[in-house]
Structures are given as structure tokens and as C-alpha cells.
């Protein structure tokens, strides 16, 4: 059974930094891409950043220049370095992994989420 375990959330003051980690376990199959999503209170879940197995990254405009996503394919791990945190970064951050089961089967798996709360 595929499991994604996130870590690194917490309470931090505005302007501070955090580093999130997410590890995929329970599958021998390749992870094509991983990403971080967040859901703020009362809002829909949104993409924050993503990275492919080839290293191509994508960021939401709201986090460009402050967030950095990186990955380790061999460890099936993705990181999110978050700097210059703002109050509006508060939310639950979810890790997503796109696992390649075959040439035609790609499935998304989600972590349970980790809370980030930014205080003033």
C-alpha cells in the first residue's frame, strides 16, 4: 500500500522559514512527479509547487521566489523549503505523488497533510 508521510510543519512567525519533507513508501514503481498543495481555511486546495522526476519545477505565482521544491528520486522524497513566510501561507500542506504503474496507468496518491500556521 502506497503511503506518503509528510513532516516539517508547525507554528512560525511571519518572515520565518520551514522545510517540509514527504517520503513515498510501499511501492516499487516509479514516481513520475511530486508536488505540494495547500488548503487554507475556507478555501479550496491549491497547487503550491511541483517537480517531475526529470527535475522540472512549477510554482504558484503567490510563492514564486519564496518557496523552493526539490526531490530525491532514489529516496522517493520531495522537499519544500519555505522562506519569508506570510500570514496567508497558513494552511494544511498536502504532498502528492504521481506513481507510474504502467505505460498507461498513472495514479495520484496523497499524504495526510501537515499544518503550517504563520503568526504575526
Amino acid at each position: 500500500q502506497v503511503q506518503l508521510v509528510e513532516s516539517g510543519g508547525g507554528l512560525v512567525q511571519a518572515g520565518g522559514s520551514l522545510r517540509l519533507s514527504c517520503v513515498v513508501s510501499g511501492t516499487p514503481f516509479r514516481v513520475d512527479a511530486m508536488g505540494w498543495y495547500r488548503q487554507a481555511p475556507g478555501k479550496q486546495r491549491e497547487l503550491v509547487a511541483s517537480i517531475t522526476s526529470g527535475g522540472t519545477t512549477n510554482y504558484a505565482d503567490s510563492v514564486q521566489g519564496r518557496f523552493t521544491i526539490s526531490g530525491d528520486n532514489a529516496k522517493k522524497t520531495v522537499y519544500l523549503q519555505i522562506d519569508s513566510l506570510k500570514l496567508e501561507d497558513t494552511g494544511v500542506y498536502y504532498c502528492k505523488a504521481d506513481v507510474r504503474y504502467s505505460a498507461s496507468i498513472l495514479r495520484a496518491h496523497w499524504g495526510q497533510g501537515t499544518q503550517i500556521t504563520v503568526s504575526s
Side-chain angles (χ1 to χ4, degrees), residues 28-80:
F29 296 102
R30 188 182 75 197
V31 177
D32 271 11
M34 296 187 74
W36 290 96
Y37 291 69
R38 71 184 176 192
Q39 188 164 17
K43 295 187 177 181
Q44 290 187 331
R45 192 176 299 188
E46 61 176 355
L47 173 67
V48 172
S50 64
I51 185 168
T52 67
S53 58
T56 300
T57 59
N58 181 47
Y59 295 94
D61 290 342
S62 59
V63 306
Q64 189 79 36
R66 299 188 298 119
F67 290 19
T68 304
I69 191 170
S70 59
D72 185 328
N73 291 335
K75 295 181 179 179
K76 294 182 180 176
T77 300
V78 66
Y79 307 96
L80 187 68

Side-chain angles (χ1 to χ4, degrees), residues 10-24:
L11 174 63
V12 63
Q13 285 191 325
S17 297
L18 283 174
R19 189 183 192 227
L20 304 183
S21 300
C22 174
V23 181
V24 180

Side-chain angles (χ1 to χ4, degrees), residues 53-118:
S53 58
T56 300
T57 59
N58 181 47
Y59 295 94
D61 290 342
S62 59
V63 306
Q64 189 79 36
R66 299 188 298 119
F67 290 19
T68 304
I69 191 170
S70 59
D72 185 328
N73 291 335
K75 295 181 179 179
K76 294 182 180 176
T77 300
V78 66
Y79 307 96
L80 187 68
Q81 177 66 38
I82 307 173
D83 299 315
S84 303
L85 275 157
K86 301 178 179 180
L87 296 177
E88 53 264 40
D89 293 322
T90 293
V92 180
Y93 284 69
Y94 296 91
C95 177
K96 174 176 170 279
D98 295 325
V99 179
R100 173 68 61 183
Y101 289 91
S102 72
S104 59
I105 299 176
L106 183 70
R107 290 181 183 160
H109 298 271
W110 292 87
Q112 292 299 308
T114 185
Q115 175 73 43
I116 291 179
T117 301
V118 183

